[in-house]
Amino acid sequence: MIDTVIFDFDGTLADTNNLVLNSFKHIYNKYYDGKWDEEYVLSTFGEPLALTLKRDFSGFAYEEVLASYREYQADRFEKEVTLYDTVSETVKYLHKKDIKIGIATSRIKPPTLFALKNFDLDKYFQVVISAEDVEKHKPDKEPLIKAIQGLDSSAENTLYVGDSKFDMECALNAEVTPVLVGWQKNSGELAEKYKIKHVLSKMWDLTWLI
């Protein structure tokens, strides 16, 4: 019986796509004279920011590039980031039904906690596993296993809701039931590739799986 739901954050609970894309565009303009591949950047969504920046901006000082990325986002998050349709209602419904709720994200913890508080959802999540909480990041199973342990749950009773290939592979590696959100443009491709049984058209659809 499903008694636990763990969520990814970016692209799953909150629409951060434009903010993240524009942040990357900003640093590509600064360090590579605007030469960038949007499709490639989109393909990195779901992996830790530090990994992406250290790999793709290896010729520059990591801390400087990170500061430029963060500087662009300053004061923009609250204006540009919104929850996806029915996310708030679904989280509150799960909480009311005594479902254990957590997050396993490749984001760092402070902005994740800030975002949850900003959306008035922080009180519903019993555990938040972020990039600095693990040694191995998604698609490795460690983030999900830590979240499951923190919720005193089990893999067979857990759904993991995400939007990227990293999320789906993480769920499968942890032997957790993967649930794919259907509102990203590559959702159909991912569902077919990973043979995902549960694809959501809106977050409220999740309540039918509980």
Side-chain angles (χ1 to χ4, degrees):
M1 183 181 76
I2 297 298
D3 62 14
T4 304
V5 180
I6 301 172
F7 296 89
D8 174 48
F9 185 83
D10 293 283
T12 300
L13 294 176
D15 185 357
T16 58
N17 288 0
N18 285 336
L19 180 63
V20 173
L21 275 174
N22 288 335
S23 300
F24 272 103
K25 187 175 182 179
H26 171 72
I27 57 177
Y28 272 99
N29 282 335
K30 183 173 181 178
Y31 296 100
Y32 287 119
D33 297 323
K35 298 175 183 176
W36 78 312
D37 182 340
E38 182 173 326
E39 289 300 318
Y40 167 73
V41 172
L42 284 169
S43 76
T44 69
F45 281 20
E47 71 177 3
L49 178 63
L51 179 62
T52 308
L53 296 184
K54 287 178 180 178
R55 179 188 64 234
D56 298 338
F57 293 81
S58 59
F60 307 95
Y62 166 70
E63 294 297 339
E64 180 185 328
V65 177
L66 178 63
S68 296
Y69 183 96
R70 297 290 186 209
E71 179 184 2
Y72 179 84
Q73 289 193 351
D75 300 324
R76 285 184 167 91
F77 187 94
E78 293 182 61
K79 299 173 185 176
E80 297 185 20
V81 175
T82 58
L83 292 176
Y84 284 107
D85 185 34
T86 70
V87 164
S88 182
E89 298 93 322
T90 303
V91 168
K92 292 173 184 177
Y93 174 87
L94 296 177
H95 176 76
K96 186 177 180 180
K97 293 294 184 180
D98 294 321
I99 300 296
K100 302 172 188 177
I101 311 172
I103 287 177
T105 177
S106 294
R107 281 178 144 255
I108 60 175
K109 183 154 285 179
T112 304
L113 296 178
F114 168 81
L116 291 175
K117 187 171 184 179
N118 187 57
F119 292 127
D120 196 28
L121 292 178
D122 52 314
K123 56 183 171 287
Y124 300 110
F125 291 91
Q126 297 154 272
V127 67
V128 176
I129 300 299
S130 51
E132 59 266 56
D133 295 319
V134 298
E135 293 183 8
K136 296 179 180 179
H137 302 284
K138 296 185 286 186
D140 191 88
K141 66 182 180 180
E142 184 182 349
L144 261 183
I145 296 300
K146 280 205 166 186
I148 290 168
Q149 291 172 342
L151 292 167
D152 192 25
S153 191
S154 61
E156 59 265 29
N157 294 335
T158 300
L159 302 177
Y160 184 46
V161 186
D163 69 299
S164 73
K165 63 181 181 180
F166 301 100
D167 299 326
M168 297 302 99
E169 291 176 13
C170 179
L172 294 170
N173 288 336
E175 299 183 348
V176 165
T177 300
V179 178
L180 179 67
V181 301
W183 44 81
Q184 303 300 346
K185 72 177 185 179
N186 65 336
S187 296
E189 177 185 333
L190 290 177
E192 183 177 353
K193 178 177 180 180
Y194 295 104
K195 297 178 172 60
I196 304 301
K197 181 179 178 181
H198 305 298
V199 181
L200 310 178
S201 60
K202 59 182 180 299
M203 192 60 79
W204 187 254
D205 295 345
L206 186 62
T207 64
W208 297 100
L209 303 180
I210 304 302

